[in-house]
Amino acid sequence: MATIEVVLGDITRQDVDAIVTAANESLLGGGGVDGAIHRAAGPRLAQAGSAIAPCDPGDAKATQAFDLDPPVRHVIHTVGPVWEGGAYGEAEVLASCYRRSLQVADELRARTVAFPAIATGVYGFPPGEAARIAVSTVRRTPTAVTTIRLVAFDEATHELYTAALHDEIGGDGPC
Ligand code: ADP
């Protein structure tokens, strides 16, 4: 079973094999975490993304990591749900983002993967529910990934992840 880590930090600075970005369907780059990853990876990321676009909400597709610092070798682009109140399958689409990203990581033979808090920025998904979905989904997805790092960009998200992990595994896990 993979180790789930919770950290506070910038996803572009993680020492992992693959980082996940909260993309939009064009895979051309956007704001927020996707903008930060595209700036760090350089313009070839958008070129590679557009070549494999579109990516549906809940799906994930991989490119190289280009100018991102090693050991990062892959960027996994996943498209979260736009929050429309919760009655439109948003939770299932968000869970699918985490599942599909881990499946793609397995195809790439990545062993360490970092995720941002998908859909909790511009897409408006409530962060507490998103944190619970992230933790429970990565914990339940069969994978050869050994370390799954949930990267919070702010203290509040870090606390939500820590609480979700505590609820999920009883407080003995690394955080
Ligand atoms: P979405 O469009 O899927 O909502 P956003 O990029 O707007 O995606 O936000 C998703 C999450 O990523 C938010 O919690 C935001 O604070 C966080 N975030 C923004 N920049 C970074 C970064 N450099 N590293 C990690 N997380 C980040």
Side-chain angles (χ1 to χ4, degrees):
M1 185 186 285
T3 300
I4 302 171
E5 300 176 344
V6 171
V7 302
L8 180 64
D10 182 340
I11 200 162
T12 66
R13 311 301 291 269
Q14 303 300 312
D15 56 342
V16 289
D17 297 333
I19 61 173
V20 177
T21 187
N24 57 55
E25 293 176 43
S26 75
L27 305 187
L28 282 170
V33 68
D34 198 39
I37 290 172
H38 276 259
R39 279 192 296 281
R44 288 178 294 171
L45 189 65
Q47 288 168 13
S50 66
I52 56 170
C55 183
D56 292 334
D59 198 5
K61 296 185 176 185
T63 64
Q64 294 177 52
F66 300 106
D67 298 340
L68 278 156
D69 289 335
V72 181
R73 286 179 289 123
H74 311 283
V75 174
I76 299 172
H77 307 248
T78 189
V79 179
V82 176
W83 180 259
E84 294 182 85
Y88 295 89
E90 294 95 326
E92 183 43 45
V93 173
L94 185 61
S96 175
C97 289
Y98 287 94
R99 268 197 306 272
R100 282 287 302 135
S101 294
L102 286 173
Q103 287 167 359
V104 170
D106 281 342
E107 288 161 15
L108 298 166
R109 302 186 193 287
R111 291 293 176 263
T112 53
V113 179
F115 283 90
I118 298 162
T120 63
V122 172
Y123 280 11
F125 204 106
E129 189 183 346
R132 286 191 293 275
I133 290 169
V135 169
S136 68
T137 306
V138 299
R139 197 162 140 77
R140 283 168 182 71
T141 302
T143 178
V145 171
T146 58
T147 301
I148 298 167
R149 187 174 299 168
L150 301 176
V151 180
F153 200 50
D154 55 72
E155 280 285 354
T157 302
H158 185 261
E159 282 175 23
L160 291 169
Y161 275 146
T162 303
L165 195 58
H166 184 277
D167 289 349
E168 181 77 24
I169 62 178
D172 293 332
C175 59

PDB file of all heavy atoms in Angstrom, residues 10-14 19 32-46 64-70 72 75:
ATOM      1  N   ASP A  10       5.089  24.156  -2.558  1.00  0.00           N
ATOM      2  CA  ASP A  10       4.886  24.458  -3.974  1.00  0.00           C
ATOM      3  C   ASP A  10       5.096  23.159  -4.748  1.00  0.00           C
ATOM      4  O   ASP A  10       6.155  22.532  -4.637  1.00  0.00           O
ATOM      5  CB  ASP A  10       5.927  25.513  -4.379  1.00  0.00           C
ATOM      6  CG  ASP A  10       5.806  25.950  -5.822  1.00  0.00           C
ATOM      7  OD1 ASP A  10       5.203  25.224  -6.648  1.00  0.00           O
ATOM      8  OD2 ASP A  10       6.345  27.018  -6.131  1.00  0.00           O
ATOM      9  N   ILE A  11       4.127  22.780  -5.541  1.00  0.00           N
ATOM     10  CA  ILE A  11       4.227  21.479  -6.220  1.00  0.00           C
ATOM     11  C   ILE A  11       5.364  21.457  -7.234  1.00  0.00           C
ATOM     12  O   ILE A  11       5.884  20.379  -7.551  1.00  0.00           O
ATOM     13  CB  ILE A  11       2.880  21.083  -6.857  1.00  0.00           C
ATOM     14  CG1 ILE A  11       2.856  19.574  -7.107  1.00  0.00           C
ATOM     15  CG2 ILE A  11       2.610  21.877  -8.121  1.00  0.00           C
ATOM     16  CD1 ILE A  11       1.492  19.001  -7.308  1.00  0.00           C
ATOM     17  N   THR A  12       5.785  22.601  -7.714  1.00  0.00           N
ATOM     18  CA  THR A  12       6.874  22.606  -8.691  1.00  0.00           C
ATOM     19  C   THR A  12       8.219  22.316  -8.033  1.00  0.00           C
ATOM     20  O   THR A  12       9.222  22.152  -8.730  1.00  0.00           O
ATOM     21  CB  THR A  12       6.976  23.955  -9.440  1.00  0.00           C
ATOM     22  OG1 THR A  12       7.346  24.979  -8.512  1.00  0.00           O
ATOM     23  CG2 THR A  12       5.670  24.313 -10.122  1.00  0.00           C
ATOM     24  N   ARG A  13       8.263  22.251  -6.701  1.00  0.00           N
ATOM     25  CA  ARG A  13       9.533  22.032  -5.990  1.00  0.00           C
ATOM     26  C   ARG A  13       9.594  20.663  -5.321  1.00  0.00           C
ATOM     27  O   ARG A  13      10.389  20.454  -4.411  1.00  0.00           O
ATOM     28  CB  ARG A  13       9.721  23.116  -4.918  1.00  0.00           C
ATOM     29  CG  ARG A  13       9.500  24.530  -5.425  1.00  0.00           C
ATOM     30  CD  ARG A  13      10.456  24.896  -6.568  1.00  0.00           C
ATOM     31  NE  ARG A  13      11.817  25.003  -6.090  1.00  0.00           N
ATOM     32  CZ  ARG A  13      12.369  26.136  -5.655  1.00  0.00           C
ATOM     33  NH1 ARG A  13      11.691  27.246  -5.659  1.00  0.00           N
ATOM     34  NH2 ARG A  13      13.620  26.158  -5.234  1.00  0.00           N
ATOM     35  N   GLN A  14       8.770  19.729  -5.760  1.00  0.00           N
ATOM     36  CA  GLN A  14       8.710  18.421  -5.107  1.00  0.00           C
ATOM     37  C   GLN A  14       9.666  17.434  -5.776  1.00  0.00           C
ATOM     38  O   GLN A  14       9.773  17.404  -7.002  1.00  0.00           O
ATOM     39  CB  GLN A  14       7.276  17.871  -5.148  1.00  0.00           C
ATOM     40  CG  GLN A  14       6.243  18.796  -4.521  1.00  0.00           C
ATOM     41  CD  GLN A  14       6.524  19.088  -3.063  1.00  0.00           C
ATOM     42  OE1 GLN A  14       6.788  18.177  -2.282  1.00  0.00           O
ATOM     43  NE2 GLN A  14       6.452  20.352  -2.683  1.00  0.00           N
ATOM     44  N   ILE A  19       4.444  14.901 -11.265  1.00  0.00           N
ATOM     45  CA  ILE A  19       3.539  15.827 -10.580  1.00  0.00           C
ATOM     46  C   ILE A  19       2.253  15.919 -11.393  1.00  0.00           C
ATOM     47  O   ILE A  19       2.257  15.839 -12.622  1.00  0.00           O
ATOM     48  CB  ILE A  19       4.152  17.224 -10.342  1.00  0.00           C
ATOM     49  CG1 ILE A  19       4.516  17.930 -11.644  1.00  0.00           C
ATOM     50  CG2 ILE A  19       5.356  17.122  -9.417  1.00  0.00           C
ATOM     51  CD1 ILE A  19       4.976  19.382 -11.420  1.00  0.00           C
ATOM     52  N   GLY A  32      -3.414  29.586 -11.645  1.00  0.00           N
ATOM     53  CA  GLY A  32      -3.229  28.773 -10.449  1.00  0.00           C
ATOM     54  C   GLY A  32      -2.064  27.806 -10.559  1.00  0.00           C
ATOM     55  O   GLY A  32      -0.999  28.137 -11.087  1.00  0.00           O
ATOM     56  N   VAL A  33      -2.307  26.604 -10.067  1.00  0.00           N
ATOM     57  CA  VAL A  33      -1.228  25.621 -10.034  1.00  0.00           C
ATOM     58  C   VAL A  33      -0.785  25.235 -11.453  1.00  0.00           C
ATOM     59  O   VAL A  33       0.396  24.995 -11.702  1.00  0.00           O
ATOM     60  CB  VAL A  33      -1.654  24.389  -9.197  1.00  0.00           C
ATOM     61  CG1 VAL A  33      -2.750  23.586  -9.861  1.00  0.00           C
ATOM     62  CG2 VAL A  33      -0.451  23.523  -8.896  1.00  0.00           C
ATOM     63  N   ASP A  34      -1.718  25.207 -12.382  1.00  0.00           N
ATOM     64  CA  ASP A  34      -1.375  24.858 -13.772  1.00  0.00           C
ATOM     65  C   ASP A  34      -0.439  25.911 -14.366  1.00  0.00           C
ATOM     66  O   ASP A  34       0.530  25.566 -15.059  1.00  0.00           O
ATOM     67  CB  ASP A  34      -2.670  24.742 -14.580  1.00  0.00           C
ATOM     68  CG  ASP A  34      -2.493  23.972 -15.878  1.00  0.00           C
ATOM     69  OD1 ASP A  34      -1.744  22.962 -15.877  1.00  0.00           O
ATOM     70  OD2 ASP A  34      -3.105  24.372 -16.879  1.00  0.00           O
ATOM     71  N   GLY A  35      -0.715  27.178 -14.076  1.00  0.00           N
ATOM     72  CA  GLY A  35       0.159  28.243 -14.556  1.00  0.00           C
ATOM     73  C   GLY A  35       1.557  28.099 -13.979  1.00  0.00           C
ATOM     74  O   GLY A  35       2.559  28.261 -14.694  1.00  0.00           O
ATOM     75  N   ALA A  36       1.637  27.794 -12.684  1.00  0.00           N
ATOM     76  CA  ALA A  36       2.938  27.640 -12.035  1.00  0.00           C
ATOM     77  C   ALA A  36       3.718  26.480 -12.663  1.00  0.00           C
ATOM     78  O   ALA A  36       4.931  26.579 -12.911  1.00  0.00           O
ATOM     79  CB  ALA A  36       2.752  27.410 -10.540  1.00  0.00           C
ATOM     80  N   ILE A  37       3.020  25.382 -12.935  1.00  0.00           N
ATOM     81  CA  ILE A  37       3.694  24.210 -13.519  1.00  0.00           C
ATOM     82  C   ILE A  37       4.133  24.513 -14.948  1.00  0.00           C
ATOM     83  O   ILE A  37       5.249  24.160 -15.357  1.00  0.00           O
ATOM     84  CB  ILE A  37       2.784  22.962 -13.417  1.00  0.00           C
ATOM     85  CG1 ILE A  37       2.681  22.529 -11.952  1.00  0.00           C
ATOM     86  CG2 ILE A  37       3.299  21.836 -14.306  1.00  0.00           C
ATOM     87  CD1 ILE A  37       1.664  21.438 -11.676  1.00  0.00           C
ATOM     88  N   HIS A  38       3.301  25.183 -15.715  1.00  0.00           N
ATOM     89  CA  HIS A  38       3.701  25.536 -17.086  1.00  0.00           C
ATOM     90  C   HIS A  38       4.887  26.500 -17.089  1.00  0.00           C
ATOM     91  O   HIS A  38       5.789  26.366 -17.918  1.00  0.00           O
ATOM     92  CB  HIS A  38       2.508  26.106 -17.861  1.00  0.00           C
ATOM     93  CG  HIS A  38       1.640  25.056 -18.466  1.00  0.00           C
ATOM     94  ND1 HIS A  38       1.692  24.695 -19.797  1.00  0.00           N
ATOM     95  CD2 HIS A  38       0.708  24.254 -17.894  1.00  0.00           C
ATOM     96  CE1 HIS A  38       0.827  23.723 -20.038  1.00  0.00           C
ATOM     97  NE2 HIS A  38       0.207  23.440 -18.887  1.00  0.00           N
ATOM     98  N   ARG A  39       4.920  27.451 -16.156  1.00  0.00           N
ATOM     99  CA  ARG A  39       6.075  28.364 -16.094  1.00  0.00           C
ATOM    100  C   ARG A  39       7.354  27.592 -15.772  1.00  0.00           C
ATOM    101  O   ARG A  39       8.405  27.835 -16.353  1.00  0.00           O
ATOM    102  CB  ARG A  39       5.832  29.447 -15.041  1.00  0.00           C
ATOM    103  CG  ARG A  39       4.959  30.586 -15.547  1.00  0.00           C
ATOM    104  CD  ARG A  39       4.988  31.771 -14.587  1.00  0.00           C
ATOM    105  NE  ARG A  39       4.420  31.476 -13.282  1.00  0.00           N
ATOM    106  CZ  ARG A  39       3.126  31.432 -13.001  1.00  0.00           C
ATOM    107  NH1 ARG A  39       2.234  31.674 -13.955  1.00  0.00           N
ATOM    108  NH2 ARG A  39       2.692  31.147 -11.783  1.00  0.00           N
ATOM    109  N   ALA A  40       7.239  26.635 -14.850  1.00  0.00           N
ATOM    110  CA  ALA A  40       8.428  25.882 -14.446  1.00  0.00           C
ATOM    111  C   ALA A  40       8.881  24.893 -15.525  1.00  0.00           C
ATOM    112  O   ALA A  40      10.072  24.618 -15.658  1.00  0.00           O
ATOM    113  CB  ALA A  40       8.148  25.144 -13.135  1.00  0.00           C
ATOM    114  N   ALA A  41       7.926  24.365 -16.269  1.00  0.00           N
ATOM    115  CA  ALA A  41       8.258  23.345 -17.278  1.00  0.00           C
ATOM    116  C   ALA A  41       8.660  23.960 -18.615  1.00  0.00           C
ATOM    117  O   ALA A  41       9.277  23.280 -19.448  1.00  0.00           O
ATOM    118  CB  ALA A  41       7.077  22.401 -17.479  1.00  0.00           C
ATOM    119  N   GLY A  42       8.283  25.218 -18.833  1.00  0.00           N
ATOM    120  CA  GLY A  42       8.636  25.878 -20.086  1.00  0.00           C
ATOM    121  C   GLY A  42       7.585  25.656 -21.172  1.00  0.00           C
ATOM    122  O   GLY A  42       6.658  24.862 -21.010  1.00  0.00           O
ATOM    123  N   PRO A  43       7.747  26.358 -22.292  1.00  0.00           N
ATOM    124  CA  PRO A  43       6.710  26.370 -23.339  1.00  0.00           C
ATOM    125  C   PRO A  43       6.470  25.030 -24.026  1.00  0.00           C
ATOM    126  O   PRO A  43       5.412  24.821 -24.625  1.00  0.00           O
ATOM    127  CB  PRO A  43       7.236  27.406 -24.351  1.00  0.00           C
ATOM    128  CG  PRO A  43       8.683  27.582 -24.033  1.00  0.00           C
ATOM    129  CD  PRO A  43       8.855  27.280 -22.591  1.00  0.00           C
ATOM    130  N   ARG A  44       7.431  24.115 -23.922  1.00  0.00           N
ATOM    131  CA  ARG A  44       7.206  22.804 -24.565  1.00  0.00           C
ATOM    132  C   ARG A  44       6.078  22.037 -23.893  1.00  0.00           C
ATOM    133  O   ARG A  44       5.478  21.143 -24.499  1.00  0.00           O
ATOM    134  CB  ARG A  44       8.497  21.985 -24.538  1.00  0.00           C
ATOM    135  CG  ARG A  44       9.558  22.508 -25.501  1.00  0.00           C
ATOM    136  CD  ARG A  44      10.839  21.708 -25.411  1.00  0.00           C
ATOM    137  NE  ARG A  44      11.477  21.882 -24.110  1.00  0.00           N
ATOM    138  CZ  ARG A  44      12.522  21.177 -23.675  1.00  0.00           C
ATOM    139  NH1 ARG A  44      13.030  20.237 -24.449  1.00  0.00           N
ATOM    140  NH2 ARG A  44      13.041  21.407 -22.481  1.00  0.00           N
ATOM    141  N   LEU A  45       5.750  22.397 -22.649  1.00  0.00           N
ATOM    142  CA  LEU A  45       4.660  21.685 -21.962  1.00  0.00           C
ATOM    143  C   LEU A  45       3.325  21.958 -22.656  1.00  0.00           C
ATOM    144  O   LEU A  45       2.527  21.037 -22.855  1.00  0.00           O
ATOM    145  CB  LEU A  45       4.591  22.086 -20.484  1.00  0.00           C
ATOM    146  CG  LEU A  45       3.641  21.235 -19.642  1.00  0.00           C
ATOM    147  CD1 LEU A  45       4.128  19.788 -19.555  1.00  0.00           C
ATOM    148  CD2 LEU A  45       3.493  21.812 -18.231  1.00  0.00           C
ATOM    149  N   ALA A  46       3.090  23.206 -23.023  1.00  0.00           N
ATOM    150  CA  ALA A  46       1.835  23.535 -23.722  1.00  0.00           C
ATOM    151  C   ALA A  46       1.800  22.886 -25.109  1.00  0.00           C
ATOM    152  O   ALA A  46       0.754  22.414 -25.563  1.00  0.00           O
ATOM    153  CB  ALA A  46       1.677  25.046 -23.832  1.00  0.00           C
ATOM    154  N   GLN A  64       5.903  14.709 -20.908  1.00  0.00           N
ATOM    155  CA  GLN A  64       7.187  14.891 -20.235  1.00  0.00           C
ATOM    156  C   GLN A  64       7.121  16.117 -19.319  1.00  0.00           C
ATOM    157  O   GLN A  64       6.216  16.949 -19.439  1.00  0.00           O
ATOM    158  CB  GLN A  64       8.283  15.126 -21.277  1.00  0.00           C
ATOM    159  CG  GLN A  64       8.575  13.954 -22.175  1.00  0.00           C
ATOM    160  CD  GLN A  64       9.631  14.342 -23.211  1.00  0.00           C
ATOM    161  OE1 GLN A  64      10.690  14.855 -22.857  1.00  0.00           O
ATOM    162  NE2 GLN A  64       9.326  14.109 -24.477  1.00  0.00           N
ATOM    163  N   ALA A  65       8.142  16.244 -18.490  1.00  0.00           N
ATOM    164  CA  ALA A  65       8.192  17.373 -17.553  1.00  0.00           C
ATOM    165  C   ALA A  65       9.089  18.504 -18.065  1.00  0.00           C
ATOM    166  O   ALA A  65       9.163  19.557 -17.427  1.00  0.00           O
ATOM    167  CB  ALA A  65       8.697  16.898 -16.199  1.00  0.00           C
ATOM    168  N   PHE A  66       9.775  18.288 -19.159  1.00  0.00           N
ATOM    169  CA  PHE A  66      10.594  19.319 -19.812  1.00  0.00           C
ATOM    170  C   PHE A  66      11.525  20.018 -18.816  1.00  0.00           C
ATOM    171  O   PHE A  66      12.367  19.361 -18.231  1.00  0.00           O
ATOM    172  CB  PHE A  66       9.697  20.274 -20.614  1.00  0.00           C
ATOM    173  CG  PHE A  66       8.931  19.538 -21.682  1.00  0.00           C
ATOM    174  CD1 PHE A  66       7.565  19.274 -21.551  1.00  0.00           C
ATOM    175  CD2 PHE A  66       9.594  19.028 -22.788  1.00  0.00           C
ATOM    176  CE1 PHE A  66       6.874  18.553 -22.513  1.00  0.00           C
ATOM    177  CE2 PHE A  66       8.916  18.296 -23.764  1.00  0.00           C
ATOM    178  CZ  PHE A  66       7.562  18.076 -23.615  1.00  0.00           C
ATOM    179  N   ASP A  67      11.355  21.330 -18.572  1.00  0.00           N
ATOM    180  CA  ASP A  67      12.351  22.072 -17.784  1.00  0.00           C
ATOM    181  C   ASP A  67      12.181  21.947 -16.272  1.00  0.00           C
ATOM    182  O   ASP A  67      12.920  22.594 -15.524  1.00  0.00           O
ATOM    183  CB  ASP A  67      12.307  23.563 -18.152  1.00  0.00           C
ATOM    184  CG  ASP A  67      12.645  23.809 -19.612  1.00  0.00           C
ATOM    185  OD1 ASP A  67      13.265  22.929 -20.237  1.00  0.00           O
ATOM    186  OD2 ASP A  67      12.279  24.884 -20.123  1.00  0.00           O
ATOM    187  N   LEU A  68      11.225  21.161 -15.821  1.00  0.00           N
ATOM    188  CA  LEU A  68      11.115  20.953 -14.372  1.00  0.00           C
ATOM    189  C   LEU A  68      12.363  20.231 -13.866  1.00  0.00           C
ATOM    190  O   LEU A  68      12.950  19.411 -14.574  1.00  0.00           O
ATOM    191  CB  LEU A  68       9.858  20.129 -14.039  1.00  0.00           C
ATOM    192  CG  LEU A  68       8.564  20.957 -13.977  1.00  0.00           C
ATOM    193  CD1 LEU A  68       7.359  20.062 -14.228  1.00  0.00           C
ATOM    194  CD2 LEU A  68       8.438  21.660 -12.628  1.00  0.00           C
ATOM    195  N   ASP A  69      12.757  20.546 -12.645  1.00  0.00           N
ATOM    196  CA  ASP A  69      13.986  19.964 -12.100  1.00  0.00           C
ATOM    197  C   ASP A  69      13.811  18.470 -11.857  1.00  0.00           C
ATOM    198  O   ASP A  69      12.768  18.032 -11.380  1.00  0.00           O
ATOM    199  CB  ASP A  69      14.342  20.635 -10.767  1.00  0.00           C
ATOM    200  CG  ASP A  69      14.829  22.063 -10.976  1.00  0.00           C
ATOM    201  OD1 ASP A  69      15.332  22.362 -12.079  1.00  0.00           O
ATOM    202  OD2 ASP A  69      14.678  22.862 -10.041  1.00  0.00           O
ATOM    203  N   PRO A  70      14.863  17.683 -12.151  1.00  0.00           N
ATOM    204  CA  PRO A  70      14.850  16.275 -11.767  1.00  0.00           C
ATOM    205  C   PRO A  70      14.685  16.170 -10.253  1.00  0.00           C
ATOM    206  O   PRO A  70      15.111  17.087  -9.535  1.00  0.00           O
ATOM    207  CB  PRO A  70      16.240  15.780 -12.195  1.00  0.00           C
ATOM    208  CG  PRO A  70      16.725  16.780 -13.189  1.00  0.00           C
ATOM    209  CD  PRO A  70      16.103  18.081 -12.816  1.00  0.00           C
ATOM    210  N   VAL A  72      11.765  15.067 -11.270  1.00  0.00           N
ATOM    211  CA  VAL A  72      10.446  15.077 -11.931  1.00  0.00           C
ATOM    212  C   VAL A  72      10.630  14.787 -13.419  1.00  0.00           C
ATOM    213  O   VAL A  72      11.369  15.493 -14.114  1.00  0.00           O
ATOM    214  CB  VAL A  72       9.745  16.437 -11.736  1.00  0.00           C
ATOM    215  CG1 VAL A  72       8.376  16.408 -12.415  1.00  0.00           C
ATOM    216  CG2 VAL A  72       9.591  16.771 -10.263  1.00  0.00           C
ATOM    217  N   VAL A  75       4.603  15.081 -16.214  1.00  0.00           N
ATOM    218  CA  VAL A  75       3.477  15.875 -15.718  1.00  0.00           C
ATOM    219  C   VAL A  75       2.207  15.130 -16.118  1.00  0.00           C
ATOM    220  O   VAL A  75       2.038  14.757 -17.288  1.00  0.00           O
ATOM    221  CB  VAL A  75       3.472  17.302 -16.304  1.00  0.00           C
ATOM    222  CG1 VAL A  75       2.211  18.053 -15.875  1.00  0.00           C
ATOM    223  CG2 VAL A  75       4.720  18.069 -15.859  1.00  0.00           C
TER     224      VAL A  75
END
